[in-house]
Amino acid sequence: MQIDIGINEQNRTDIASGLGRVLADSYALYLKTHNFHWNVTGPMFQTLHTMFEEQYTELAAAVDELAERIRSLGAFAPGSFSAFAELSSIADEKGVPAAKEMIKQLVEGHETVIKTARALYPLCDEADDDATADLLTQRIQTHEKTAWMLRSLLEG
């Protein structure tokens, strides 16, 4: 059935493609955060273990919202490790870094998601896609706040 939501097919396709990159970055960050939750050690163990759990739980809900928006635009959401690896700008962590390095990598991951999301605004403006722009604004606000909180742990 034709989709007639006031956004032409090319713009819907382009926006969905961009959202696929935001989804892939978000999922890569979810995996990294969950990995660090399981494997963090050291004097800040309890604080970081709890903080990382809150963060990966929030990211799990976020990837669902992003995928559902992609579907609302008429595209299929990427959903495999290989698709995420191809689309994501966040490097996979194969080892178990020290706690401070975990924090640093998570700050960088949140900043990456922010930049990937922010890059979609011009297309959303062109297509008058306020729903996607609103979702991106919410995601950016969450990632900026989380990056700030993580960054604060590295100061002093």
Side-chain angles (χ1 to χ4, degrees):
M1 185 173 182
Q2 277 302 101
I3 297 173
D4 185 15
I5 59 173
I7 303 171
N8 70 48
E9 184 176 354
Q10 185 61 57
N11 283 343
R12 284 188 293 106
T13 299
D14 292 345
I15 291 168
S17 177
L19 283 171
R21 288 187 296 280
V22 177
L23 174 60
D25 280 350
S26 299
Y27 199 85
L29 183 57
Y30 162 83
L31 284 174
K32 185 174 280 198
T33 305
H34 210 152
N35 173 16
F36 292 170
H37 163 77
W38 287 328
N39 293 303
V40 68
T41 59
M44 293 177 44
F45 168 79
Q46 187 59 44
T47 300
L48 293 177
H49 184 74
T50 301
M51 179 185 275
F52 294 165
E53 181 174 14
E54 290 169 3
Q55 291 172 5
Y56 78 70
T57 300
E58 192 283 326
L59 284 162
V63 296
D64 195 53
E65 281 187 76
L66 290 162
E68 289 175 355
R69 182 64 191 154
I70 292 168
R71 294 296 295 132
S72 296
L73 292 168
F76 288 105
S80 67
F81 287 121
S82 61
F84 290 146
E86 183 178 316
L87 293 169
S88 180
S89 303
I90 296 176
D92 190 29
E93 175 56 60
K94 302 212 186 311
V96 180
K100 280 193 171 187
E101 178 61 21
M102 288 179 177
I103 295 165
K104 182 179 177 284
Q105 285 189 34
L106 293 179
V107 168
E108 291 168 353
H110 284 280
E111 291 172 345
T112 296
V113 176
I114 291 163
K115 291 181 278 192
T116 303
R118 197 177 302 281
L120 267 178
Y121 277 129
L123 189 52
C124 292
D125 286 344
E126 176 187 319
D128 291 324
D129 184 356
D130 294 335
T132 299
D134 182 57
L135 175 59
L136 294 171
T137 299
Q138 291 173 42
R139 295 307 316 143
I140 288 169
Q141 287 174 333
T142 298
H143 289 289
E144 287 178 342
K145 183 176 181 179
T146 303
W148 157 61
M149 291 183 172
L150 288 165
R151 217 179 285 110
S152 295
L153 294 170
L154 298 173
E155 296 173 0

